[in-house]
């Protein structure tokens, strides 16, 4: 419950500005209708493309005893894979303040790169039009490839003093 004195003060400040021009309300209704379309595009993409691929990946991970976790919160879906010294996480979310885009983040981190290091590969797609299923397939394969490639690090690069060049 709001404090009585605060309510009185707030209403005294806001009531004189409560008349909203009809054109401003029309623009708000139009924005909400567009947002509803973006939400439907995202929902269809998740239901028809992302979830079936995530389900197939989870079954493969479980069959091969690879530790993983799938979680969701709000409009975000996360798949995290844990390996001996590294983990990788795929985060799929509808983002942007007007929900006009779908974002895909791949975050990887491991002991060999240090506790403070992490890589975030972000791909962003526009939800004004429906997304094809191939986007989900491509992004999930990119994630799995990133996790696999990050397991092997190349040889350390030689330290070169400033101003000197590598002699080959």
């Amino acid at each position: 419950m709001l404090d009585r004195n605060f309510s009185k003060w707030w209403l005294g400040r806001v009531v004189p500005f409560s008349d909203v021009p009809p054109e401003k309300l029309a623009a708000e209704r139009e924005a909400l209708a567009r947002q509803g379309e973006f939400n439907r595009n995202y929902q269809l993409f998740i239901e028809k493309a992302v979830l079936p691929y995530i389900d197939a990946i989870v079954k493969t991970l479980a069959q091969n005893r690879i530790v993983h976790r799938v979680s969701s919160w709000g409009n975000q879906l996360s798949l995290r894979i844990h390996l001996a010294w590294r983990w990788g996480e795929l985060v799929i979310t509808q983002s942007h303040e007007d929900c006009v885009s779908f974002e895909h983040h791949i975050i990887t981190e491991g002991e060999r790169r240090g506790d403070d290091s992490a890589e975030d590969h972000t791909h962003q797609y526009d939800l004004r039009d429906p997304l094809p299923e191939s986007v989900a397939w491509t992004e999930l394969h990119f994630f799995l490839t990133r996790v696999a490639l990050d397991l092997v690090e190349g040889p350390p690069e030689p330290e070169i003093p400033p101003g000197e060049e590598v002699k080959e």
Side-chain angles (χ1 to χ4, degrees):
M1 182 115 199
L2 289 176
D3 177 64
R4 183 173 182 209
N5 289 333
F6 174 79
S7 295
K8 189 175 179 179
W9 170 82
W10 190 84
L11 289 170
R13 301 272 305 210
V14 171
V15 166
F17 301 97
S18 62
D19 290 328
V20 180
E23 61 273 4
K24 190 172 183 180
L25 292 176
E28 178 72 13
R29 282 191 289 278
E30 183 180 319
L32 283 174
R34 280 195 318 267
Q35 184 174 346
E37 182 182 336
F38 304 151
N39 291 345
R40 279 188 299 285
N41 289 342
Y42 181 69
Q43 179 183 356
L44 287 173
F45 178 67
I46 290 293
E47 290 174 356
K48 303 282 185 207
V50 173
L51 292 179
Y53 286 119
I54 292 284
D55 186 50
I57 289 171
V58 165
K59 287 176 182 170
T60 301
L61 294 173
Q63 287 172 349
N64 291 283
R65 299 181 356 257
I66 297 172
V67 179
H68 64 282
R69 174 180 48 97
V70 177
S71 61
S72 64
W73 184 76
N75 68 359
Q76 178 175 305
L77 176 68
S78 170
L79 169 63
R80 180 178 278 224
I81 297 175
H82 294 274
L83 299 169
W85 58 271
R86 175 171 299 291
W87 59 263
E89 185 171 24
L90 169 71
V91 179
I92 297 170
T93 185
Q94 185 178 8
S95 58
H96 201 269
E97 61 190 33
D98 58 0
C99 299
V100 74
S101 61
F102 147 73
E103 265 185 27
H104 153 260
H105 295 271
I106 295 175
I107 305 155
T108 56
E109 184 175 32
E111 293 170 12
R112 290 176 67 185
R113 289 204 177 151
D115 293 336
D116 295 336
S117 69
E119 287 188 46
D120 184 356
H121 302 277
T122 303
H123 300 149
Q124 195 170 38
Y125 296 92
D126 195 327
L127 288 171
R128 289 183 180 97
D129 297 314
L131 293 171
E133 285 185 31
S134 60
V135 170
W137 183 89
T138 302
E139 292 300 336
L140 291 170
H141 277 78
F142 180 82
F143 165 64
L144 295 173
T145 302
R146 230 17 281 160
V147 170
L149 289 175
D150 284 351
L151 289 172
V152 179
E153 293 185 355
E157 293 186 22
E159 290 188 33
I160 302 169
E164 292 187 22
E165 294 182 17
V166 177
K167 296 177 184 174
E168 295 183 29

